[in-house]
Every structure is written in structure tokens, then in C-alpha cells.
């Protein structure tokens, strides 16, 4: 990287041009006098002491007292890591503050539904969904696009994948014990591709561009739990339920507890793992909306295009547990934790 580029990047981190030049000069010279820094960097002598004092306050320079006074550059890895930590903390604090402002007016989380322009930007968002998921990732897309997500999928051994594609055979990188694969059964590919992470994020798009005009490609990015759960419903009822499962979970080797957020994903796993299974449910009572935690055994399930629920036996009682938006069940489940 050229020195001009380094100066530009340091300025983006909050340094002035003179501060950037002084720090670069110290990295080249090592501990130095102010006069030496002036000669090497071109910083005016009348400004150099103020520049070095500012760099000291910002953590880029240590001052070695003596006669003459020497200035020593702080290890770049140390100072940049500190900036990174502070920057991330500031972003998280801003996110929390913005959400609080929104909730004060609207009483709920800020929904995000955006149009993403450009094929490369769509790929980046799909990778982000996989990288940030905590529990489960649902993917329905042609193998041509799925291959672009290879490295992100391989890197996540700690989430459950349910993947539908039009592959002829299962590649090695999809052989993980945490992966369920289904071969499309003729579902309308042009209708939609989905990459869904938990109830947090989803990205949706149509046909993959065949020409070079990828900057004209559009996809749709959603951060809204209610919307994402609707997309999960369509993922299963339109695509997965009309496809052929070609690779099941290796349930015995999966780390437990196994947490899921979608009732249809839970039932898909139970079909492969078998019943009964010890489970913990976190959710709300449908009638009163009171929070509830239920621990027991799943002894049965019901699964149709309209209904998906499990029956849990706990302390001699039987509870019907559904997913988000449940209205005929006893409990609206938000998290399903398989314990064995």
C-alpha cells in the first residue's frame, strides 16, 4: 500500500493529515526527536509539537522524557485493535440508542425492509445472514448461487442448515452432520430464492442474472421477526415439503442442547431424530401472553400446510406448542431447545 493510501485510511480513523504523517514517520525512524520528525515528514516546526501531543492523547505515540525528549510510536497492532474495540462499542451503543428512540414512539422494534441493488451486494448480504445466525439457516436457491456461499457454510458447524437446491449429487462441503439437504421437486425456481437466518434476517431474490449487467440486479433484505417467520412458513410449505430429502442430520453427533427458532424446523429434526425427545420451550401462553418456560418430552407432532405444532408432556400434563403467531395452541413457542 502506498503512503498516500495509508494517510487516507488514517484520516478515516480520525487522524489529521499531519498526525498521519508524523505516525508514519515514527514507524520508519523509531524513537525520534521532534526536529527529526519535522525534517523527515515535512510537518512545519511550529506545528510538530502540537501534532505529537495530539497523537499521544489519541494513543498513537508514547513520550520518552529526557533531554532531548523522544517520541516513540505505539505498536500498530495495539493501537488499531483499541480503535477497533472502541469503534464497535460505539456502534453497538448507537444501535441501542436508535432502537430506544424508535420504541419510545412506536412501542416495537424498528422493521427493516430494504431493496439491495447489485449482485455482489446480494452475495455479501447472504454471507452476512449465514455468518451472524445463532441457531438455524434456511436456504432455497439454485446450486449456482449456493456455491458462492461455500466458505461461509463450511465455517459454521454450530448452526443447523436446511438447504434446498437443484444439485445432482451432494458435494463434500455439504456433508456436515448439521446439514439437511433436499433436492428440489420442481418448485418454481424463478419465483424466489431465500436465505433466512433465525428470525432475524432474510434475503429474497428472483432469477440469477445471466449477463454482465449485475449492477442492475435487485434483491430484498428484511429484518422483521414477523415477516421473517412468514418467509420461513413459505420456505417449508412451498419448497421443502415439495422436495426430496437427500441427506438427513447426523443427530447423534450434534452438540446438545440444540436450539431452534422455527416450529417447522423443529418437526423436521424430530422426524429424523425420532420421538420422544426431551425439550425445553421458551415462549408465551396463547391466552394470556404471559411468558412461560416449559420442560418435558415431545411425544407427538402435527404438520400440515396450515398447522405445525408439537405435543409436550410435562409433569403429567399435555401442552400443544406452536410457533410464532400461534392461536389454536396452548403455547406460542419462541425457542425450542432439544436437550438429548
Amino acid at each position: 500500500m502506498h503512503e498516500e493510501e495509508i494517510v487516507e485510511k488514517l484520516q478515516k480513523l480520525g487522524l489529521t493529515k499531519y498526525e498521519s504523517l508524523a505516525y508514519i514517520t515514527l514507524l520508519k525512524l523509531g524513537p525520534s526527536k521532534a526536529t527529526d520528525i519535522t525534517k523527515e515528514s515535512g510537518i512545519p516546526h511550529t506545528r510538530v509539537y502540537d501534532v505529537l501531543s495530539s497523537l499521544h492523547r489519541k494513543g498513537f505515540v508514547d513520550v520518552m522524557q529526557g533531554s532531548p525528549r523522544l517520541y516513540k510510536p505505539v505498536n500498530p497492532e495495539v493501537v488499531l485493535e483499541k480503535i477497533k474495540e472502541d469503534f464497535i462499542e460505539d456502534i453497538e451503543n448507537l444501535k441501542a440508542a436508535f432502537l430506544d428512540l424508535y420504541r419510545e414512539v412506536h412501542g416495537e422494534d424498528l422493521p427493516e425492509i430494504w431493496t439491495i441493488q447489485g449482485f455482489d451486494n446480494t452475495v455479501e448480504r447472504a454471507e452476512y445472514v449465514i455468518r451472524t445466525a445463532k441457531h438455524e439457516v434456511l436456504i432455497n436457491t439454485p446450486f449456482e448461487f449456493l456455491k458462492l456461499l461455500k466458505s461461509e457454510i463450511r465455517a459454521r458447524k454450530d448452526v443447523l442448515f436446511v438447504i434446498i437446491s437443484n444439485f445432482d449429487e451432494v458435494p463434500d462441503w455439504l456433508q456436515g452432520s448439521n446439514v439437511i439437504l433436499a433436492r428440489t421437486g420442481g418448485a418454481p425456481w424463478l419465483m424466489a430464492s431465500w436465505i433466512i437466518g433465525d428470525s432475524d434476517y432474510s434475503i429474497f431474490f428472483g432469477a440469477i442474472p445471466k449477463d454482465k449487467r449485475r449492477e442492475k440486479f435487485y434483491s430484498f433484505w428484511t429484518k422483521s421477526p414477523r415477516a421473517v417467520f412468514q418467509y420461513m412458513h413459505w420456505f417449508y410449505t412451498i419448497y421443502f415439503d415439495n422436495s426430496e430429502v437427500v441427506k438427513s442430520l447426523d443427530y447423534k453427533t450434534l452438540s446438545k442442547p440444540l436450539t431452534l427458532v422455527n416450529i417447522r424446523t423443529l418437526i423436521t429434526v424430530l422426524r429424523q431424530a425420532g420421538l420422544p425427545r426431551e425439550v425445553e420451550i421458551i415462549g408465551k401462553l396463547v391466552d394470556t401472553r404471559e411468558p412461560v418456560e416449559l420442560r418435558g418430552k415431545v411425544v407427538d407432532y402435527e404438520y400440515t400446510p396450515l398447522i405445525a405444532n408439537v405435543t409436550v408432556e410435562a409433569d403429567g400434563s399435555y401442552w400443544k406448542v406452536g410457533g410464532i403467531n400461534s392461536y389454536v395452541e396452548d403455547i406460542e413457542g419462541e425457542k425450542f431447545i432439544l436437550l438429548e
Side-chain angles (χ1 to χ4, degrees), residues 70-204:
L70 297 180
Y71 298 88
K72 174 186 175 184
V74 174
N75 186 320
E77 291 186 6
V78 173
V79 71
L80 291 177
E81 189 62 31
K82 180 64 167 61
I83 290 174
K84 177 182 174 182
E85 291 174 359
D86 291 344
F87 188 70
I88 291 173
E89 183 179 355
D90 287 343
I91 288 176
E92 293 301 322
N93 290 337
L94 279 173
K95 283 168 59 178
F98 291 155
L99 287 174
D100 287 342
L101 286 172
Y102 184 87
R103 291 191 192 104
E104 286 178 9
V105 177
H106 302 282
E108 59 182 18
D109 285 341
L110 175 67
E112 294 181 16
I113 301 177
W114 304 104
T115 300
I116 306 299
Q117 181 176 354
F119 185 76
D120 291 340
N121 291 332
T122 294
V123 174
E124 288 179 4
R125 288 298 179 109
E127 291 175 334
Y128 179 82
V129 171
I130 296 171
R131 193 161 54 247
T132 58
K134 298 180 180 68
H135 307 299
E136 62 184 87
V137 177
L138 310 180
I139 301 175
N140 173 75
T141 196
F143 192 62
E144 176 186 355
F145 188 84
L146 186 64
K147 289 188 293 186
L148 301 178
L149 308 177
K150 175 180 177 179
S151 60
E152 296 294 339
I153 292 172
R154 292 183 69 172
R156 294 306 305 271
K157 307 298 184 184
D158 54 338
V159 298
L160 176 72
F161 286 96
V162 182
I163 300 174
I164 313 165
S165 193
N166 57 335
F167 32 67
D168 295 321
E169 57 185 41
V170 178
D172 291 342
W173 52 277
L174 289 175
Q175 293 285 0
S177 61
N178 60 324
V179 179
I180 297 174
L181 296 180
R183 182 182 293 116
T184 177
W189 282 106
L190 294 181
M191 183 176 176
S193 286
W194 301 96
I195 296 89
I196 304 170
D198 300 326
S199 59
D200 296 326
Y201 300 107
S202 73
I203 191 160
F204 157 84

